[in-house]
């Protein structure tokens, strides 16, 4: 199996970081930029793309690699390949979305018991159609 980075885009009006599981409080129905700055501190990077202002925060290491099985024993071979990021997207000081990175299986080769009776147990090739880089359509 090989594992790699994907992104998840959340349109819910909530923020929860991966590393410290911090929940941010908001002063109104929607997060403002000041609410996020008060909760998460200064971002590592701030940029404007299209109509969106984006605050980017680092959230731990990204790990990618392979996991071969030898006689049903997994041998994880993972290395850090970068920094995981959380991004908060704003339009006119109103948060519209939040994205974060996660690691998921990309390819699998062979017989793999998943525990789901509705899934095939033999894989050869790509098993995940997740999104690698994701942006809100409102930013265009």
């Amino acid at each position: 199996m090989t594992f790699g980075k994907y992104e998840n885009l959340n349109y819910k009006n909530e923020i929860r970081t991966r590393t410290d599981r911090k929940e941010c409080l908001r002063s109104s129905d929607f997060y403002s930029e000041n609410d996020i700055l008060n909760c998460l501190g200064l971002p590592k990077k701030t940029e404007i793309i299209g109509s969106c202002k984006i605050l980017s925060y680092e959230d731990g290491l990204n790990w990618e690699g392979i996991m071969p099985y030898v006689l049903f024993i997994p041998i994880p071979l993972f290395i850090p390949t970068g920094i995981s990021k959380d991004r908060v997207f704003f339009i006119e000081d109103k948060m519209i979305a939040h994205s974060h990175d996660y690691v998921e299986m990309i390819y699998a080769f062979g017989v793999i018991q998943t525990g789901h009776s509705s899934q095939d147990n033999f894989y050869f090739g790509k098993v995940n159609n997740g999104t690698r880089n994701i942006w809100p359509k409102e930013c265009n």
Side-chain angles (χ1 to χ4, degrees), residues 9 64 88:
L9 187 63
E64 295 186 33
V88 185

Side-chain angles (χ1 to χ4, degrees), residues 97-109:
H98 169 249
S99 73
H100 65 276
D101 300 341
Y102 67 96
V103 174
E104 186 71 58
M105 183 175 19
I106 302 172
Y107 293 95
F109 302 95

Side-chain angles (χ1 to χ4, degrees), residues 27-73:
S27 58
S28 66
D29 290 340
F30 293 93
Y31 284 108
S32 69
E33 186 177 341
N34 280 336
D35 292 335
I36 299 301
L37 291 173
N38 289 334
C39 180
L40 301 179
L42 293 175
K44 187 71 173 180
K45 183 178 180 182
T46 301
E47 58 189 327
I48 295 178
I49 296 180
S51 59
C52 286
K53 183 172 187 178
I54 304 161
L55 305 181
S56 297
Y57 293 89
E58 292 183 353
D59 197 18
L61 291 175
N62 259 344
W63 294 81
E64 295 186 33
I66 63 173
M67 188 179 316
Y69 282 77
V70 178
L71 299 175
F72 302 105
I73 300 170

Side-chain angles (χ1 to χ4, degrees), residues 3 54 81 84 92 114:
F3 293 82
I54 304 161
T81 58
S84 180
E92 297 177 1
T114 63

